[in-house]
Amino acid sequence: MKIKTAIDRVYAVRPDSFTTDEKVEWLNHLDGQIYQEVILTHENPQNVSFSKYDASDLEKELLIPFPYDKIYTSYLKMMIEEAYGETEAYNNALYLYNENKKDFLSYWNRTYRPLPVVGNKTSHCGSFFVYPCESPLNTEDER
């Protein structure tokens, strides 16, 4: 989905007074989080990358592919309702956003292998996993 498409779809069902720049910034936060927490923690054979969007990037494709891209409209609706203080509408949008995010995460985890975690960094070690801890079988006497 393109940035402009996400913004236009939300505006069609929930008119608001927020600028395009503000909505693009919200989408930056979502895609930045998805990129850091999901894409960079898995194998990335398609070399998906992310660079921050600005208002001139309205024709740029967002990170999450169809049919999981409905997360963008639910996220924008959630942010609008939060900003307006509409608690019930916010909670409804939050529920939809969480469901859409769960669907996307399930897809990504089924499709791409997670990278092993070493300390605070993620690295690929073939099919071996390296854990940054000592064996629980070692005792003081054995050292």
Side-chain angles (χ1 to χ4, degrees):
M1 177 181 298
K2 293 182 179 180
I3 293 171
K4 182 177 181 357
T5 304
I7 291 170
D8 289 347
R9 284 184 183 171
V10 171
Y11 191 79
V13 297
R14 177 54 167 110
D16 61 79
S17 60
F18 295 98
T19 66
T20 298
D21 286 345
E22 290 169 314
K23 293 175 187 175
V24 169
E25 190 58 32
W26 288 338
L27 293 171
N28 270 320
H29 286 280
L30 177 57
D31 269 359
Q33 181 182 18
I34 293 295
Y35 186 70
Q36 290 290 321
E37 295 177 6
V38 180
I39 294 171
L40 289 180
T41 63
H42 289 70
E43 290 180 349
N44 187 1
Q46 297 173 350
N47 293 319
V48 175
S49 64
F50 171 75
S51 59
K52 195 171 179 188
Y53 314 124
D54 61 41
S56 67
D57 292 327
L58 294 179
E59 293 300 317
K60 193 170 187 177
E61 288 288 328
L62 293 160
L63 287 181
I64 299 174
F66 174 84
Y68 306 99
D69 58 356
K70 59 189 171 198
I71 190 173
Y72 294 112
T73 55
S74 61
Y75 182 75
L76 287 174
K77 285 179 196 174
M78 181 186 74
M79 296 301 289
I80 290 167
E81 300 303 353
E82 177 188 34
Y84 283 143
E86 299 289 341
T87 306
E88 187 174 340
Y90 169 78
N91 286 333
N92 291 337
L94 175 63
Y95 174 79
L96 288 175
Y97 165 73
N98 284 331
E99 288 298 308
N100 292 332
K101 186 174 181 181
K102 182 176 67 173
D103 291 345
F104 167 69
L105 293 175
S106 294
Y107 155 75
W108 201 264
N109 284 321
R110 282 191 315 269
T111 307
Y112 302 105
R113 180 181 299 193
L115 296 174
V117 176
V118 178
N120 291 333
K121 298 188 179 205
T122 305
S123 66
H124 187 276
C125 300
S127 57
F128 295 102
F129 290 91
V130 180
Y131 296 96
C133 62
E134 294 181 15
S135 170
L137 301 177
N138 289 345
T139 64
E140 283 299 315
D141 297 333
E142 294 175 344
R143 291 183 192 166

